[in-house]
Amino acid sequence: MPDAPDASSAPAGPELHRLSPRDESRVALALTLRQLADAALDAVPVVPDPEPGELLRVALRLQRRVEDVVREAVVAERERGTTWAEIGEVAGVTRQSAHEKWYGDVHAWAAIGRSALPPHLRTLDVAAEADDRYARLRPDRPHAVTSGLDAVRFPGSHAYEASLRVRGSALHTRRTELDARATRLNDEYGALHARGPANAPISADPHAIDAHRGHADAVRANRLAIADVHDEIAGVYDQLVTAEPSLAEEHRTQSDWHRNASAQARGYADLLNGTGR
């Protein structure tokens, strides 16, 4: 096995510890499979007289682990360029069904930075530890996990991949900030709705009329603000299409969703335009 590439020229920060998203997803799958193997060993019935239902309970926990493996495998397939149509064919379902079933997992993977490891851990070190565990069972394959990584097969790629992550990380950080702003605006909208005069009849009292107008204006301003945020988030996903091309389809889906959300919010604001006048 070639020596691990020198990452001394890679950018500083957490990106230094990360490999290509393709490698990261492969290591994540390997770790989940290792957890499944441990769980399967723990599931072997060794207690002579377990509590009623315990054998099934253990088996169901194991089944959930298997489902985790499937999700990780789908993410790894997407990172290596496998299309949703190809994934659906393997799973025995349509492309649309495969997309609906696992799209959320792929999107979540992208949202957390395309790595399942904490920032302080180096992926190559974790992969090497996985090698050691695997080698205890298969001594003929001492580098089973690391030998399939791009960082090992193509020395020098580590620094290049780290530089690519800088733009994607910045965009995801911006998206997170915008998500937080959207949450605050939606919380404000909920508060406006809760204390608004919507359930009170409009009377000829000027104070009541002013209250209705003021409430409508506040809600309209809130919905216009949330529409602007959705537009900004859509723009971030548009940039992620080129920053993270292997997940371009997922990013386009999110961009379309946020633009639709923006249009709906603006439509509602337009309806309120006459109410506040």
Side-chain angles (χ1 to χ4, degrees):
M1 182 185 72
D3 293 336
D6 178 11
S8 59
S9 60
E15 291 83 7
L16 175 66
H17 297 170
R18 301 283 78 91
L19 305 181
S20 69
R22 173 181 167 124
D23 280 356
E24 293 288 332
S25 63
R26 188 181 180 97
V27 172
L29 176 59
L31 295 179
T32 304
L33 283 165
R34 189 189 74 187
Q35 293 170 355
L36 174 62
D38 291 341
L41 184 61
D42 291 339
V44 174
V46 295
V47 178
D49 190 19
E51 294 182 6
E54 181 62 17
L55 298 178
L56 176 58
R57 190 175 296 110
V58 170
L60 291 174
R61 282 202 297 267
L62 193 61
Q63 183 182 53
R64 288 191 288 272
R65 293 278 190 177
V66 172
E67 292 168 355
D68 290 340
V69 170
V70 172
R71 286 191 287 269
E72 295 280 4
V74 170
V75 169
E77 289 288 357
R78 286 295 295 143
E79 287 289 17
R80 64 196 293 260
T82 306
T83 67
W84 283 110
E86 291 168 331
I87 290 172
E89 183 179 359
V90 172
V93 298
T94 65
R95 175 203 174 281
Q96 181 178 355
S97 295
H99 185 268
E100 291 175 356
K101 184 176 180 63
W102 291 302
Y103 166 77
D105 299 301
V106 178
H107 178 253
W109 164 259
I112 64 172
R114 302 166 90 186
S115 176
L117 299 176
H120 67 281
L121 293 180
R122 295 174 63 94
T123 304
L124 278 176
D125 293 342
V126 173
E129 291 177 5
D131 278 347
D132 293 340
R133 289 181 63 111
Y134 191 91
R136 296 172 198 168
L137 301 175
R138 296 285 300 274
D140 59 316
R141 302 195 64 183
H143 307 294
V145 177
T146 54
S147 62
L149 301 179
D150 293 340
V152 173
R153 296 167 60 215
F154 309 110
S157 66
H158 189 180
Y160 172 69
E161 290 293 345
S163 67
L164 288 182
R165 279 185 173 276
V166 172
R167 185 184 177 209
S169 295
L171 288 169
H172 281 294
T173 296
R174 177 59 178 160
R175 178 194 54 77
T176 300
E177 294 169 350
L178 291 169
D179 285 345
R181 189 191 302 177
T183 298
R184 290 194 297 271
L185 286 168
N186 283 326
D187 288 344
E188 291 173 7
Y189 173 73
L192 283 169
H193 183 74
R195 67 172 183 263
N199 296 323
I202 299 178
S203 67
D205 184 351
H207 295 293
I209 294 175
D210 288 343
H212 277 275
R213 286 175 175 170
H215 179 261
D217 286 343
V219 172
R220 180 173 182 272
N222 176 278
R223 293 297 85 188
L224 288 175
I226 196 68
D228 288 341
V229 172
H230 280 303
D231 283 337
E232 286 192 64
I233 296 175
V236 170
Y237 278 112
D238 288 341
Q239 295 178 69
L240 282 168
V241 167
T242 57
E244 299 176 345
S246 63
L247 300 183
E249 185 174 354
E250 285 77 7
H251 295 324
R252 289 192 184 98
T253 297
Q254 284 295 311
S255 177
D256 291 344
W257 187 92
H258 283 283
R259 284 204 165 83
N260 287 335
S262 173
Q264 292 176 11
R266 291 188 190 283
Y268 183 45
D270 288 343
L271 289 176
L272 293 171
N273 193 29
T275 306
R277 296 292 178 266

